[in-house]
Every structure is written in C-alpha cells, then in structure tokens.
C-alpha cells in the first residue's frame, strides 16, 4: 500500500510497511526530493526480510505530514534503488490507522467531485438492487450424447433457518429467476449457506447431476498480461463490481429445465444462468466482453470491471461510456463495492499505478515469511506462490533448479545447502522493488 506524505513540504510516495521499524529512502530519491538537506552519520545497521544487512548512507530529521497530522521523524537514506518505506516509528508518531491510509487513496479534489456525483445520479438506475435481463439473448446448454436425466431428492433444511430459506426461494420466484413446475426429469438439490448478514444464499450442487453431462463452452478467459496491458498509461482507476453476474443471462426453456432445483417447497426450473453450472463462468465472460467491446481503457475479469484514464476528464468520459453500455444491457452494479478514481488498485495479486505493475506487499510478505519446506507438499505450495511473480525475476528457473529437483519422482527429499541458497535467493529477488511496465511501441 502506497501512501502520500509531505516531507519538509515536498510530496513523496512511500510504502506503508508495519513490519519495518524505521523509515527509509534510496539515496537517488532523497537527492531528487531534498537536494539541500544534509545527512548526518549514523551507526545503526538495517536488516532486510532476507537477513541482508544494509549500512545507511546517513540519517536526517524531517517534518512528516499526512492529511492534517504532522510530526518529526528520522529518515534513513540507503545506497539501494528501492521503494521508500514508511516504518512503524512514523506510523506511531503520526498516530495513523489503516482507515487513515485507505481513505486517502481516492484522488478526487473538490472541483472534480460534482462531475462524478452528477454522473452517478444520471445513471442511478444501474445501481438498483435487482437483476436485469440482457435483451434479445437466450442461452442454450448443450448435453453430451446419450445423456439420461438425473433427479436428486432435496436436502433437509435445519429448522433454525427454514423460514429464511423459504423467504429466499420466494424472492427468487418473485424476481422471475425461478419458476415452480409440477414435474421435471432433472432436479438438483440446493445447499443452504448462511451469509455474514444473516440472509441465505442458495447454492446448487450441479457436479452430482448436470455438470458431467454438459458440453464445454470454449471461450478464453482473459490473460492476466492482457488485462495489465489494458491498464497501461492509467493515472486514475475505477473498480466496478457487477451484482450477481450470471443471473443476467436468460436461458431457453429446455435449458431452464435442465437447471431445475429440488427443494422442500417443490421443484423449480431456473430461468437464468445459475451459479454452479460449469459453463457459467466462460459464458458470462463472453457476454460481458461483447457488452463492453470497443471501449478503451476498460477490462473485465468475470464480475470485476476496471476503468482507467490518464486524466480525470478521460477517466470520467470512459466511465460514462461503461455506464451507458451497462444500462443498454440491463446490467447492475453493486454500489457499495465500487471505487472511483484511485491512484492505485490491487488487482489479481498485483498493485497497479501510474508507474506500472508492482508485486502485492501482502503476498510478498507471505513468501518471505515462509519457513523451509519440510516435504514435497510444502515445497509445491511455496513454488506456487513464488512462480506467481516469475515475470519480475530474470532466470527464475535456473535459480529454482535445486528445488525443482526435489520434485522428481523417485528423488529422495533432502534439503541441501544448494536448496537453502536457492530458497534464500528467490526470496531476495521477490523482495526487490522491480516494477513491470507495459510494452511501448514508441520506444522501438
């Protein structure tokens, strides 16, 4: 998490790090930010996550300001090209909380607030608490050859939640999502999940009935690289959450019967694309991609939409274009989960901002704190976490070679000095401040 501070009146971006004892800055950044500031000699040595010892170039005392809070604190300048760090000492002296940091992420000043509010008012209908119906579209499920219908009896409902379950069934029926039928050859039992707010979510266990007999829908899931490329050049970012995504897709009558659910109140055919159907994710991705086709600075990963722009005006223009498409397709957003005009966003395990693509500090911390794997299972878990950031590390396969050898069939699991060296080296690489930028054809 990056935080905006004023250091002796100069704007600076530092990483908010509760695991760092002191605040640090690279010599290069320090000389650009505070060229006339004198450094004093200092004896303390700093230690990184990977136990690497760093000797600071010097230390200076600066005025630190965040919002309306101000204090003085020591800034340690180090001879490495790394991100500036706001450590616990400054966090404590400024009396900052996590809420103080997160509320400062939004980059809208007073002059820009009215246009955003006007846009949200103009498109208030896309934030309604209902489920729309994508016009002129009906989806058909395709069964494999020689498939026989399967009907499973409904599961029993605990007496403690039976009234809430019935309330949810009636709500779905009133919304036109399900419809009671007198007979169905197909029937899948529902699982009753109590949500944190006390309401009920009906989940359907199609893996025991319909899913094994469905033909796949071959539509590609967006590649993470393509999504990040779409975010390139953005300085303002908006995050939009689609409410109950799959339910906007209406089914033809035969497919609605295939999705039928069996409940203690009877059997209901499901008239919208239901959560749990194996082709639902790819089908929805295809639908939302078609709905947003041609819009610049917009990406979608299932029900998570991102809009970016290089200026406030450009981002607002693109946001309005997205709202217009969503209105056209009767798609609703969850207002409580939408965020507008952030300078950085956390997305698919990365932090994206104007500088490019960064590793998520929380995921990095989990990797750095991982102990030496005791067996193949633990090693696979660690390698899975580390490989997620392979794009940031040149020659990663060579570094991890001693660890990959432990995975070979018939190879005795023995943690050697080479394994320990590789383990420490990959942690050091992951802890680095490398940033990925998208391809820029103008540099050719």
């Amino acid at each position: 998490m990056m935080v905006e501070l004023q250091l002796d009146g100069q704007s600076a971006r530092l990483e908010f790090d509760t695991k760092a004892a002191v605040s640090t800055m690279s010599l290069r950044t320090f000389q650009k930010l505070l060229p006339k500031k004198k450094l004093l000699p200092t004896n303390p040595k700093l230690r990184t996550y990977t136990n690497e010892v760093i000797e600071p170039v010097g230390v200076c005392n600066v005025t630190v300001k965040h919002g309306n809070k101000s204090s003085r604190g020591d800034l340690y300048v180090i001879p490495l090209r790394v991100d500036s760090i706001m450590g616990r000492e400054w966090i404590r002296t400024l009396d900052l909380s996590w809420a103080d940091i997160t509320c400062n992420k939004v980059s809208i000043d007073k002059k820009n607030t009215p246009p955003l509010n006007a846009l949200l008012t103009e498109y208030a209908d896309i934030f309604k608490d209902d489920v729309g119906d994508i016009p002129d579209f009906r989806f058909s499920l395709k069964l494999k050859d020689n498939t026989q219908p399967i009907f499973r009896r409904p599961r029993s409902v605990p007496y403690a939640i039976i009234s809430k379950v019935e309330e949810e069934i009636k709500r779905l029926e009133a919304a036109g999502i399900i419809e009671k039928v007198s007979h169905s050859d197909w029937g899948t039992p529902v699982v009753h999940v109590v949500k944190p707010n006390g309401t009920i979510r009906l989940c359907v266990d199609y893996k025991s009935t319909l899913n094994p007999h469905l033909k796949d829908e071959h539509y590609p899931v967006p590649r993470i690289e393509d999504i990040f490329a779409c975010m390139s050049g953005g300085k303002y970012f908006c995050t939009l959450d689609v409410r109950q995504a799959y339910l906007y897709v209406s089914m033809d009558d035969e497919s609605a019967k295939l999705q039928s659910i069996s409940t203690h109140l009877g059997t209901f055919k499901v008239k919208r694309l239901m959560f749990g159907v194996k082709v639902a994710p790819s089908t929805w991705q295809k639908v939302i991609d078609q709905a947003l086709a041609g819009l610049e600075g917009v990406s979608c990963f299932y029900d998570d939409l991102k809009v970016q722009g290089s200026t406030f005006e450009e981002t607002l223009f693109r946001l309005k274009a997205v709202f217009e498409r969503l209105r056209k397709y009767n798609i609703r957003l969850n207002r409580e989960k939408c965020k507008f005009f952030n300078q950085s966003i956390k997305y698919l395990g990365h932090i994206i901002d104007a500088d490019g693509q960064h590793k998520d500090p929380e995921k990095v911390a989990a990797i750095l704190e991982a102990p030496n794997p005791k067996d193949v299972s633990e090693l696979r878990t660690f390698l899975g976490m580390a490989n997620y950031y392979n794009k940031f590390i040149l020659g990663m396969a060579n570094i991890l070679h001693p660890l990959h050898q432990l995975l070979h069939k018939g190879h005795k699991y023995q943690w050697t000095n080479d394994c320990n060296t590789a383990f420490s080296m990959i942690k050091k690489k992951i802890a680095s401040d490398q940033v990925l930028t998208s391809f820029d054809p103008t540099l050719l």
Side-chain angles (χ1 to χ4, degrees):
M1 174 69 71
M2 304 301 290
V3 57
E4 298 283 345
L5 297 177
Q6 293 284 323
L7 304 183
D8 281 356
Q10 301 297 313
S11 297
R13 298 181 76 240
L14 288 83
E15 183 177 333
F16 186 82
D17 189 350
T18 58
K19 295 184 179 180
V22 298
S23 298
T24 60
M25 180 177 287
S26 72
L27 179 61
R28 182 181 182 183
T29 302
F30 175 78
Q31 290 173 336
K32 288 183 177 180
L33 186 71
L34 302 169
K36 298 181 179 180
K37 193 79 174 180
K38 292 184 178 180
L39 289 175
L40 301 175
T42 181
N43 292 324
K45 297 180 179 180
L46 308 179
R47 190 177 296 274
T48 69
Y49 286 119
T50 55
N51 286 327
E52 179 184 359
V53 176
I54 301 174
E55 295 188 12
V57 177
V59 65
C60 63
N61 194 261
V62 295
T63 299
V64 187
K65 186 175 182 181
H66 179 272
N68 59 358
K69 296 182 178 181
S70 180
S71 181
R72 293 194 64 83
D74 289 335
L75 175 65
Y76 289 84
V77 178
I78 57 179
L80 302 177
R81 295 181 65 177
V82 295
D83 286 340
S84 302
I85 298 292
M86 180 183 187
R88 293 193 301 271
E89 184 182 18
W90 286 11
I91 296 171
R92 183 171 55 253
T93 57
L94 284 175
D95 191 26
L96 292 181
S97 66
W98 186 251
D100 293 325
I101 301 302
T102 55
C103 72
N104 199 48
K105 289 169 57 181
V106 180
S107 309
I108 306 177
D109 56 31
K110 291 183 179 179
K111 70 177 182 180
N112 290 331
T113 301
L116 175 60
N117 289 341
L119 184 67
L120 296 177
T121 300
E122 180 183 354
Y123 289 91
D125 54 300
I126 68 171
F127 295 101
K128 291 193 299 184
D129 188 13
D130 64 358
V131 178
D133 181 8
I134 294 176
D136 304 321
F137 181 78
R138 293 294 180 270
F139 181 64
S140 299
L141 297 174
K142 298 177 180 62
L143 291 176
K144 296 177 181 178
D145 294 338
N146 303 318
T147 294
Q148 298 298 317
I150 300 174
F151 188 95
R152 304 284 190 210
R153 295 177 58 186
R155 298 184 180 185
S156 59
V157 183
Y159 288 116
I161 62 171
I162 192 168
S163 61
K164 292 184 177 180
V165 170
E166 292 178 353
E167 181 180 336
E168 177 63 8
I169 292 173
K170 292 176 181 176
R171 184 190 72 82
L172 294 174
E173 187 177 19
I177 295 172
I178 62 175
E179 180 182 323
K180 194 167 187 177
V181 294
S182 57
H183 171 77
S184 176
D185 292 328
W186 289 85
T188 305
V190 296
V191 180
H192 318 101
V193 178
V194 182
K195 296 193 288 187
N197 62 4
T199 59
I200 297 294
R201 175 186 288 117
L202 299 184
C203 300
V204 189
D205 187 20
Y206 287 115
K207 68 178 182 293
S208 65
T209 55
L210 182 60
N211 282 348
H213 306 284
L214 283 178
K215 292 182 179 180
D216 292 325
E217 288 290 326
H218 298 290
Y219 186 81
V221 174
R223 296 191 317 137
I224 293 178
E225 292 82 358
D226 294 336
I227 293 175
F228 288 147
C230 184
M231 294 293 100
S232 175
K235 294 183 179 179
Y236 295 88
F237 301 90
C238 300
T239 300
L240 310 177
D241 181 79
V242 178
R243 183 190 300 275
Q244 297 181 302
Y246 305 165
L247 296 182
Y248 298 94
V249 179
S250 292
M251 312 298 289
D252 65 27
D253 193 57
E254 285 302 314
S255 298
K257 293 175 181 177
L258 294 177
Q259 292 188 136
S260 292
I261 57 175
S262 57
T263 77
H264 71 287
L265 293 182
T267 303
F268 297 80
K269 66 179 181 181
V270 183
K271 301 165 66 176
R272 303 293 181 91
L273 182 59
M274 194 63 172
F275 296 94
V277 174
K278 75 171 185 177
V279 299
S282 57
T283 300
W284 168 254
Q285 186 68 54
K286 181 179 181 180
V287 168
I288 193 64
D289 282 350
Q290 291 175 347
L292 301 176
L295 298 183
E296 293 187 359
V298 180
S299 68
C300 180
F301 192 76
Y302 297 122
D303 60 353
D304 192 359
L305 279 62
K306 304 295 183 188
V307 183
Q308 61 88 359
S310 58
T311 64
F312 177 88
E313 292 74 18
E314 180 179 62
T315 311
L316 190 71
F317 177 82
R318 291 176 173 179
L319 187 62
K320 181 172 183 177
V322 172
F323 283 0
E324 187 64 33
R325 290 287 184 88
L326 296 179
R327 173 184 279 174
K328 177 181 177 181
Y329 284 86
N330 290 330
I331 296 173
R332 310 284 188 255
L333 297 178
N334 187 337
R335 179 64 179 87
E336 291 74 23
K337 294 184 178 180
C338 294
K339 298 178 182 178
F340 301 101
F341 296 92
N342 289 348
Q343 283 187 326
S344 65
I345 54 172
K346 182 182 292 189
Y347 197 37
L348 301 175
H350 296 76
I351 305 296
I352 303 175
D353 60 17
D355 296 327
Q357 187 185 143
H358 309 256
K359 298 181 286 287
D360 183 344
E362 292 183 6
K363 290 188 177 293
V364 170
I367 294 172
L368 298 180
E369 293 169 2
N372 290 2
K374 297 182 178 64
D375 53 38
V376 170
S377 178
E378 291 185 4
L379 178 58
R380 289 187 188 279
T381 299
F382 175 79
L383 291 176
M385 293 191 298
N387 276 312
Y388 193 72
Y389 292 125
N390 66 81
K391 300 185 297 297
F392 291 85
I393 303 171
L394 186 65
M396 187 173 189
N398 292 331
I399 297 173
L400 293 175
H401 179 68
L403 302 183
H404 285 147
Q405 285 187 311
L406 297 179
L407 302 179
H408 291 171
K409 187 176 182 180
H411 193 287
K412 182 180 179 181
Y413 189 89
Q414 184 174 358
W415 193 259
T416 64
N417 288 335
D418 286 345
C419 293
N420 202 57
T421 299
F423 191 68
S424 299
M425 178 61 71
I426 203 64
K427 283 188 173 184
K428 182 178 179 180
K429 293 287 186 181
I430 289 175
S432 72
D433 66 333
Q434 288 182 319
V435 178
L436 292 180
T437 58
S438 298
F439 172 70
D440 186 353
T442 63
L443 298 179
L444 294 177

